[in-house]
Amino acid sequence: MIPRLLFAFYLATSALACADHTNRQRGHLSKRHLAHKREEVSSTNPSYITADWAYDASYNWGAIQPDYATCQTGTQQSPIALSLTAGLSSYHHPTFENYDRNVSGNWTNWGYGPAFTLDHEPDDYTGLPSVKWDNVTAYLKGWHIHAPADHSVGGDRSKAEMHLVHVDTEGREVAVLAIRLDPGTATMPFFAQLPEMVPFVTGPGRSPNDQERKEKKKRSELSETLTGLLSSQPATRASGQANEEKPKVVEDVQMDMAPLLDGVYRFNEFWTYKGSLTSPPCMEGIRWFVARTIAFTSVDQMRAILGACTYSARAEQEVWLHEINSA
């Protein structure tokens, strides 16, 4: 009996919680939902932050564990430095559908900054706003903010960068539209419609998601049972353990995405390249679009954004097989 419990305890402690912009499927609004193995982590995965990596040590991600090897050996890693001297893209022009309407979803903090996840039917993304380029259509799953910006342009790095995460019909991340954010003099209409910023959590750098809480509870229960067996005493639960505070999530937030796109002229000028997720496991195969136009907020809006952020920019990667602006 005890060896089996020891083995079960080992499995529970070695499990990783894994979630992302999948917590707003209609009919599943009260829990996190894992739809695909490929939906693991990253710039496009704002609710899954493991404890074994950190943004300020991104140079070492590939050595942490085998699953992160692509962070070191990949040929299309993101982000990369961009420049106007190399020109803008004449290919893969994005066009937008269903962006000119209100969408609903939840408003939270992904542990490093503000995040919004859109409502959608279970495993059906086709009703969401979409972007199309060439013969590819991808659907807006959610957006979140990094600070400072992931991409520099001409050596300059903006205060923050918004990532609009798009998936295919199976829910797999295929594209990220990046918009750089800097303070200006006027109020930015898009941010003016949002609720108050949800702050990041101090300490480990993020709020544990529901799956992490479940695993933590399971580990605790196994530990208590094992301790009780070994000591011949009944297992007891620590006071307050079942009432652990959940991370703040504001549900059913209405949002108009059109002002955001209009503010950057709907990506009429942009850089594009083949890249990756910007945190482990650094999965490649992501089409990046980075708007040339910077979206300017008011000073107060930028202070609110930065006040809800903590450092989340991966070190820029060497350009290799990224096919920047190419056909």
Side-chain angles (χ1 to χ4, degrees):
M1 177 66 177
I2 290 178
R4 289 183 180 178
L5 282 170
L6 286 170
F7 178 69
F9 183 67
Y10 168 76
L11 289 179
T13 55
S14 62
L16 288 177
C18 187
D20 76 29
H21 280 300
T22 51
N23 58 335
R24 288 303 294 180
Q25 298 191 63
R26 296 189 181 96
H28 298 269
L29 301 187
S30 62
K31 65 180 180 180
R32 302 277 176 178
H33 174 72
L34 180 62
H36 286 277
K37 293 291 286 184
R38 187 177 174 187
E39 293 176 1
E40 289 186 347
V41 59
S42 76
S43 77
T44 67
N45 189 2
S47 34
Y48 174 68
I49 311 298
T50 61
D52 61 354
W53 61 266
Y55 277 107
D56 54 5
S58 60
Y59 63 88
N60 196 43
W61 286 349
I64 294 174
Q65 58 166 287
D67 288 346
Y68 300 169
T70 303
C71 301
Q72 178 69 21
T73 64
T75 61
Q76 297 175 336
Q77 288 294 288
S78 297
I80 58 174
L82 300 170
S83 173
L84 282 171
T85 59
L88 298 165
S89 180
S90 298
Y91 304 99
H92 315 296
H93 286 275
T95 58
F96 301 92
E97 294 184 3
N98 293 324
Y99 264 87
D100 295 301
R101 62 179 177 87
N102 280 1
V103 296
S104 64
N106 71 21
W107 173 241
T108 187
N109 190 303
W110 64 284
Y112 287 99
F116 181 78
T117 303
L118 278 70
D119 287 337
H120 61 87
E121 299 296 338
D123 300 320
D124 182 6
Y125 304 91
T126 58
L128 297 173
S130 63
V131 61
K132 184 175 182 179
W133 70 97
D134 304 335
N135 293 317
V136 180
T137 301
Y139 305 93
L140 178 65
K141 192 177 184 182
W143 60 262
H144 58 278
I145 293 177
H146 290 254
D150 271 325
H151 295 86
S152 67
V153 175
D156 180 69
R157 190 180 298 275
S158 292
K159 292 287 189 184
E161 183 172 308
M162 179 183 292
H163 290 170
L164 283 68
V165 181
H166 289 74
V167 300
D168 62 15
T169 56
E170 300 298 318
R172 294 172 297 212
E173 295 96 337
V174 294
V176 179
L177 276 64
I179 299 173
R180 294 172 294 147
L181 303 173
D182 271 322
T185 57
T187 297
M188 183 173 169
F190 177 77
F191 284 111
Q193 67 184 318
L194 297 179
E196 182 180 355
M197 295 288 170
V198 178
F200 68 89
V201 176
T202 58
R206 87 285 186 271
S207 297
N209 58 42
D210 290 351
Q211 182 64 26
E212 287 175 310
R213 294 177 186 279
K214 181 185 290 186
E215 295 296 339
K216 181 179 178 180
K217 180 180 179 181
K218 184 185 297 183
R219 290 194 298 268
S220 178
E221 289 173 345
L222 285 168
S223 177
E224 291 168 359
T225 302
L226 181 59
T227 300
L229 287 171
L230 293 176
S231 63
S232 298
Q233 297 293 328
T236 58
R237 182 176 303 281
S239 175
Q241 182 178 347
N243 298 318
E244 185 178 8
E245 183 181 357
K246 292 183 178 181
K248 180 179 179 181
V249 175
V250 182
E251 296 190 346
D252 301 321
V253 172
Q254 299 292 314
M255 182 179 304
D256 183 2
M257 297 297 299
L260 178 65
L261 287 186
D262 293 341
V264 294
Y265 306 103
R266 298 192 172 238
F267 282 74
N268 66 327
E269 294 183 318
F270 63 96
W271 295 271
T272 185
Y273 69 92
K274 293 180 179 179
S276 74
L277 306 181
T278 61
S279 51
C282 309
M283 181 189 72
E284 296 184 337
I286 305 296
R287 167 63 65 179
W288 279 86
F289 297 90
V290 182
R292 174 187 179 178
T293 302
I294 295 173
F296 288 97
T297 71
S298 69
V299 171
D300 287 343
Q301 285 177 322
M302 179 55 67
R303 292 185 66 189
I305 291 169
L306 295 180
C309 291
T310 188
Y311 186 83
S312 58
R314 183 188 187 187
E316 287 181 327
Q317 305 297 294
E318 293 293 325
V319 174
W320 193 356
L321 302 181
H322 293 80
E323 300 180 20
I324 305 172
N325 297 336
S326 66

